[in-house]
Amino acid sequence: MESEYRALYHEVWHTPSPTLELAQSALMKPAPLSMTLEERTRLTYQRARALAHAYSLTLEDVLNTTPKFWKLHIDMLTAMDGGAINLVSVAYNLFVGTVAPYVASQPELAPIVQQAMNFDISAQFMLTELGHGLDARNLETTATLMPDNSFILNTPSPAAAKCMPPNTPRHGLPTFAVVIARLIVKGEDRGVRPFLVQMSDGVKMYPGITAKVFPPRPGANPIDHALTYFDRVQLPFSALLGGKQGRLEKSNNERDNFLATIHRMPAGTLFLAGGCIPLIKMAVYNSSKFSFRRHILGHDGQPMPVIDFRTQHLPILHAIARAHVLQAFLIHAGMSFCDRNITDPRVRHAFATIFKAVTTHHFQTSLESVNKGCGWHGYYDRNQILQADLEFRAVATAEGDVRVLAIRLASELLIGRYQVPPPKNPNGALAQHEAGLFAEARVAMKLFGSRHRSEAFNRTILPLALPLVQAIGYRMAIEAAIEAGIDPKLRALYQVGIIKEASAWFAEYGLSRQKQREMEAEAADAVLPDLERLVEETGVEPYCTAPMTSDRLWNDYVGEFETFSGGPAEASQELKARL
């Protein structure tokens, strides 16, 4: 099993990326500052199409979530345009992953699936509504069966607007979407169903469909995220995926029906979060290159690089350790989707939630800390770090808000509905931290009779949910790093980084703050001699365009600035006379 694990680790992380050539193309050059919003939006879609073509995934890759599917989501091109990977992920994972299983019974869907695979259309997935968020089981959008066997798709209230999926003709591609709506037959609510709906032809919206476009998010590559409303839109019976008469019957178990309808969401939760890993590498590369270039005069009057300062290189070292450990953790979590011994889908979703909770936290804290070391260069999105931070913060809410997912998971684990795999080494520091937090939570629950639907649970346990889930993830991550053979020095630095984050807990159990600082210093000293090698081994140099990393890039960047000049200075007549 261990050799299989390490082989898969190598396949995903160390085989050449098919986007190396694309990264050097004119298409991926930073967008000129003079570009309009519409031009920049079209550029994001063009890059998404190029990314899709570079990978050339097959339908088998998508449906079986093969390593090639994983690799697309963690490609370093993410550092150049996070919007592009977002568009491709939704098209493949949510749209194709939902529609393709119905092709056998509805062969007319095959050309649409192929168009989505080729990125000849914008393929979207519309579940979340403005007023419901993760309470999606209570969505309001209705699809009412008419006497002629057609459906009327309708948005009954402003709160029922489908929220966020890109949906305008701004990019020039026809747009199709899987719309999750409540099926109404003879006045009876039959539960939610997926419907395939064409939104636009790439030039104009279809009748009855309105999209209100959100303004661009600060720092992010623009995508036409929108609120979508349906006003009595008529659909053929074939729009109902799995459109047979049996699909009209009310499900025996509405919860299971809902989960089956959105069965691709856990994969999105996992692999979209995985896209944060190459961004941590990018941040490491850009900030370290800046720190090696930036010099100050030392006490001896000689220039010294700022990377020599502990406060400058320590955040970078921690980020490197996190990137390596998270790479192993992704393989560990991804394998759970293929593990035949895991028969409970809730456990697979738990792996995805745990991975997302850890990865998004490491991503946000790592990018913030390394960017601080870039000084005023860090204020501008062209340095890539700030832009990535702003753009991928949305990952924390995409495919499920990580805080709410953590609340659900922690609650189910505490009341014993199911369990995740236990620690392989219960005596390890991170395993003891996990066990300690759960013990504290269970003691607190006993005080109010373990009632999980109570105000006491809300007040006491909910704030602990995310830390509990992260604690499981830290333990799983270090176990995965051991299995993958990650350098013990990097593992040690990763572990002490977690200890420092949970400093108070470890201090309460005998590990003083002084000892924690000494452990961190020793772990950092062990890795520091390898810093330059580790930075180069990230392999991200072809994808990094931050001006602060080289004189050439900086000079090119300054050449783009809008310039105001008074022309060459000439001495006045009065001055000339004096001279």
Side-chain angles (χ1 to χ4, degrees), residues 182-314:
R182 195 164 294 286
L183 175 64
I184 306 298
V185 179
K186 297 179 181 178
E188 181 186 13
D189 181 351
R190 300 283 177 89
V192 300
R193 299 289 191 277
F195 293 82
L196 182 63
V197 184
Q198 184 165 3
M199 301 287 160
S200 76
D201 60 5
V203 178
K204 61 182 183 303
M205 302 296 292
Y206 274 19
I209 302 176
T210 299
K212 291 183 177 292
V213 191
F214 286 102
R217 288 186 292 121
N221 287 286
I223 303 177
D224 50 331
H225 291 293
L227 294 172
T228 299
Y229 305 81
F230 306 105
D231 183 11
R232 297 187 59 78
V233 177
Q234 188 167 21
L235 304 176
F237 189 82
S238 59
L240 173 62
L241 294 177
K244 296 181 178 179
Q245 291 298 326
R247 289 286 286 161
L248 300 178
E249 300 302 322
K250 191 174 181 65
S251 172
N252 292 330
N253 187 316
E254 189 52 42
R255 181 179 182 277
D256 288 349
N257 171 67
F258 176 75
L259 293 177
T261 301
I262 62 168
H263 70 280
R264 292 294 299 204
M265 296 295 282
T269 298
L270 175 64
F271 294 113
L272 267 182
C276 292
I277 301 173
L279 296 180
I280 296 176
K281 291 183 178 181
M282 173 275 296
V284 162
Y285 183 88
N286 286 352
S287 60
S288 62
K289 287 295 182 181
F290 166 80
S291 300
F292 279 114
R293 282 182 68 234
R294 182 82 169 90
H295 286 71
I296 65 168
L297 289 179
H299 296 301
D300 58 0
Q302 298 300 312
M304 63 175 289
V306 297
I307 193 71
D308 289 349
F309 290 98
R310 190 59 136 192
T311 50
Q312 194 75 7
H313 63 240
L314 189 59

Side-chain angles (χ1 to χ4, degrees), residues 33 376 554 556-564:
L33 301 176
W376 62 264
W554 175 253
D556 290 346
Y557 182 48
V558 172
E560 292 183 39
F561 291 178
E562 183 181 6
T563 303
F564 298 89

Side-chain angles (χ1 to χ4, degrees), residues 295-371:
H295 286 71
I296 65 168
L297 289 179
H299 296 301
D300 58 0
Q302 298 300 312
M304 63 175 289
V306 297
I307 193 71
D308 289 349
F309 290 98
R310 190 59 136 192
T311 50
Q312 194 75 7
H313 63 240
L314 189 59
I316 295 173
L317 293 174
H318 274 298
I320 290 173
R322 287 175 168 185
H324 280 79
V325 171
L326 288 175
Q327 286 181 171
F329 192 14
L330 176 67
I331 305 303
H332 180 69
M335 288 180 70
S336 71
F337 280 71
C338 310
D339 190 342
R340 296 179 182 275
N341 294 320
I342 300 177
T343 57
D344 190 338
R346 296 176 300 179
V347 175
R348 290 193 180 92
H349 204 172
F351 269 100
T353 297
I354 293 166
F355 178 80
K356 180 174 182 174
V358 170
T359 304
T360 54
H361 173 69
H362 283 342
F363 165 77
Q364 291 174 356
T365 54
S366 294
L367 265 67
E368 180 182 9
S369 62
V370 300
N371 200 38

Side-chain angles (χ1 to χ4, degrees), residues 21-270:
E21 185 176 342
L22 175 60
Q24 303 302 305
S25 70
L27 183 65
M28 298 308 302
K29 290 186 180 301
L33 301 176
S34 59
M35 261 192 166
T36 66
L37 176 59
E38 183 165 340
E39 289 170 337
R40 291 178 64 209
T41 302
R42 284 179 176 265
L43 179 62
T44 301
Y45 278 82
Q46 290 165 3
R47 290 171 171 176
R49 194 167 191 264
L51 173 61
H53 288 183
Y55 267 87
S56 298
L57 295 189
T58 66
L59 202 54
E60 179 187 356
D61 289 321
V62 174
L63 294 179
N64 296 325
T65 58
T66 65
K68 194 173 181 182
F69 177 86
W70 303 6
K71 196 171 177 66
L72 179 145
H73 283 81
I74 54 177
D75 193 277
M76 271 308 308
L77 205 75
T78 300
M80 307 183 86
D81 195 324
I85 184 63
N86 180 284
L87 290 168
V88 175
S89 177
V90 170
Y92 284 174
N93 182 55
L94 295 180
F95 184 89
V96 172
T98 300
V99 177
Y102 295 105
V103 168
S105 59
Q106 293 176 266
E108 71 276 9
L109 298 174
I112 298 174
V113 169
Q114 191 56 52
Q115 286 179 300
M117 293 294 298
N118 295 340
F119 213 88
D120 293 331
I121 61 174
S122 172
Q124 303 299 329
F125 187 85
M126 297 189 176
L127 169 66
T128 305
E129 294 180 354
L130 182 61
H132 297 285
L134 281 189
D135 184 29
R137 283 179 61 190
N138 293 315
L139 60 83
E140 297 179 50
T141 302
T142 57
T144 303
L145 182 67
M146 305 305 289
D148 63 357
N149 259 8
S150 66
F151 294 99
I152 296 296
L153 185 65
N154 199 53
T155 302
S157 76
K162 293 297 183 182
C163 188
M164 290 307 289
N167 187 24
T168 75
R170 183 180 285 169
H171 45 73
L173 294 175
T175 299
F176 288 75
V178 173
V179 179
I180 309 301
R182 195 164 294 286
L183 175 64
I184 306 298
V185 179
K186 297 179 181 178
E188 181 186 13
D189 181 351
R190 300 283 177 89
V192 300
R193 299 289 191 277
F195 293 82
L196 182 63
V197 184
Q198 184 165 3
M199 301 287 160
S200 76
D201 60 5
V203 178
K204 61 182 183 303
M205 302 296 292
Y206 274 19
I209 302 176
T210 299
K212 291 183 177 292
V213 191
F214 286 102
R217 288 186 292 121
N221 287 286
I223 303 177
D224 50 331
H225 291 293
L227 294 172
T228 299
Y229 305 81
F230 306 105
D231 183 11
R232 297 187 59 78
V233 177
Q234 188 167 21
L235 304 176
F237 189 82
S238 59
L240 173 62
L241 294 177
K244 296 181 178 179
Q245 291 298 326
R247 289 286 286 161
L248 300 178
E249 300 302 322
K250 191 174 181 65
S251 172
N252 292 330
N253 187 316
E254 189 52 42
R255 181 179 182 277
D256 288 349
N257 171 67
F258 176 75
L259 293 177
T261 301
I262 62 168
H263 70 280
R264 292 294 299 204
M265 296 295 282
T269 298
L270 175 64

Side-chain angles (χ1 to χ4, degrees), residues 476-491:
M476 285 185 169
I478 205 70
E479 289 176 348
I482 294 170
E483 287 186 36
I486 300 299
D487 187 338
K489 292 183 293 186
L490 292 172
R491 299 200 311 256

